[in-house]
Amino acid sequence: HIPPTLRHGDIDQALDALGAALNAFLQDRAALVDHQTVVIIVSDGWDTGDIELLRDSMHQLQRQSRCLIWLNPLLGSADYKPATRGMAAALPHIDLFAPVHNLQSLKDLIGYLMALRGPTAVRRAPRRETAPGQTTAEPPPGKSRGLHRLKVRS
């Protein structure tokens, strides 16, 4: 889905207002998302728009979809902490928080996606048991930080 702001050339506004873009998508195309749909968002989480709108849109997407994945290019950095307002609003609704900064991170993602397919696949792949926003232990130098499965909500 291409939000109107992006169609008219204001790329900075469109990229900084992810909540508005997701809300527009849900208003116009919500029927495209069902319990078979894997939703993938690629963003650094530096949203300067309406954070409540982002939180509500993420909640709706997570409820409607099979799996909600957020790929963050900054997550590949050893010192990255998902502390922005946008990431704080999104993390409770994300099934997989993963880096997308090198070839290994893409290979890891493929493995995760493969676990979601087929008749015996679970609705949501298992998540790691940590608090939202908390990262796992750092890998050895040169290795991918890997996928960050988030704790299942009750």
Side-chain angles (χ1 to χ4, degrees), residues 131-150:
Q134 183 180 9
T135 58
T136 57
E138 295 302 319
K143 296 287 184 182
S144 171
R145 288 184 70 191
L147 304 177
H148 297 258
R149 293 174 185 93
L150 302 176

Side-chain angles (χ1 to χ4, degrees), residues 24-45:
F25 171 78
L26 288 166
Q27 286 180 358
D28 297 341
R29 307 274 197 277
L32 295 175
V33 179
D34 62 21
H35 291 292
Q36 295 181 27
T37 307
V38 175
V39 176
I40 300 175
I41 296 171
V42 181
S43 173
D44 61 9

Side-chain angles (χ1 to χ4, degrees), residues 88-135:
L91 277 171
H93 309 288
I94 297 171
D95 295 305
L96 178 70
F97 186 46
V100 61
H101 66 293
N102 62 19
L103 186 57
Q104 185 59 50
S105 64
L106 294 174
K107 288 179 182 177
D108 293 343
L109 177 64
I110 290 169
Y112 182 86
L113 292 172
M114 294 300 287
L116 291 175
R117 43 181 289 207
T120 61
V122 293
R123 178 173 166 357
R124 296 192 185 277
R127 302 182 197 187
R128 68 186 176 106
E129 294 295 323
T130 61
Q134 183 180 9
T135 58

Side-chain angles (χ1 to χ4, degrees), residues 8-74:
H8 299 294
D10 192 353
I11 193 165
D12 290 333
Q13 181 182 354
L15 295 177
D16 290 341
L18 183 57
L22 292 175
N23 185 58
F25 171 78
L26 288 166
Q27 286 180 358
D28 297 341
R29 307 274 197 277
L32 295 175
V33 179
D34 62 21
H35 291 292
Q36 295 181 27
T37 307
V38 175
V39 176
I40 300 175
I41 296 171
V42 181
S43 173
D44 61 9
W46 284 90
D47 194 303
T48 59
D50 183 341
I51 296 302
E52 286 300 315
L53 190 57
L54 175 60
R55 182 178 291 112
D56 293 346
S57 297
M58 292 294 293
H59 177 73
Q60 184 177 346
L61 276 172
Q62 195 276 333
R63 280 188 15 247
Q64 278 185 234
S65 67
R66 176 181 185 129
C67 183
L68 181 54
I69 298 172
W70 189 297
L71 302 177
N72 187 324
L74 302 177

